Amino acid sequence: LAWLLKGTLHAFQGNGRHAVAYTSRARALSPLDPYHYFFDSLSATAHLANHDYETALDLAERSLRSNRRHTSTLRVKTIALHYLDRGDEARTAAKQLLNLDPGLTVEGYLKNHPAAAFQTGRDWSAALKDSGIPLN
């Protein structure tokens, strides 16, 4: 778990290379973890920070197969789809996200998310906005 969270910190700070290395190590050390959806979700975030959007999407979808109501994973999926220029799918994912978290706004995301102080948070919030998450 420590490797996973260290990787997530690097992802939020925009250090994708380290984020992927640490989250990959976490997944390797705990291949049968009962919370594997969480490991997949945070690994998807690491790949998002590394601009590897296909892998981020694959891991997000894997995570959602185990826990389809995990809003953090739906945010990653929405952002990855946006950066893959799959706008219609990103908007569909954003609608699913809003169904689970109807109070979500870009402003709230920037106020509460640990990545908001970094360029990754600003880039990810713009992707959410472009995908249909309301500004405020």
Side-chain angles (χ1 to χ4, degrees):
L1 186 59
W3 285 105
L4 183 69
L5 296 177
K6 186 173 183 176
T8 303
L9 173 63
H10 281 281
F12 291 163
Q13 294 174 332
N15 190 343
R17 186 174 59 83
H18 284 99
V20 168
Y22 293 135
T23 58
S24 294
R25 181 164 172 92
R27 290 177 74 231
L29 289 171
S30 193
L32 301 176
D33 196 285
Y35 294 101
H36 65 90
Y37 80 90
F38 187 63
F39 281 69
D40 289 339
S41 178
L42 294 183
S43 295
T45 302
H47 283 277
L48 202 63
N50 203 39
H51 306 283
D52 180 2
Y53 305 118
E54 284 290 346
T55 303
L57 180 59
D58 290 344
L59 286 164
E61 289 178 338
R62 178 180 162 156
S63 176
L64 289 168
R65 282 192 293 274
S66 296
N67 185 349
R68 64 185 176 89
R69 300 182 59 80
H70 194 240
T71 56
S72 178
T73 307
L74 275 169
R75 283 194 307 267
V76 172
K77 179 179 178 177
T78 302
I79 295 164
L81 286 166
H82 168 80
Y83 283 114
L84 289 168
D85 292 322
R86 293 165 59 178
D88 290 341
E89 293 171 87
R91 285 184 287 281
T92 298
K95 286 178 187 173
Q96 293 171 335
L97 179 56
L98 287 170
N99 283 336
L100 293 174
D101 187 3
L104 177 65
T105 64
V106 172
E107 189 176 273
Y109 174 84
L110 286 170
K111 181 179 178 184
N112 297 311
H113 197 277
F118 303 98
Q119 188 61 46
T120 51
R122 292 186 291 277
D123 292 344
W124 296 347
S125 65
L128 291 170
K129 180 181 174 286
D130 290 348
S131 299
I133 302 300
L135 187 57
N136 51 29

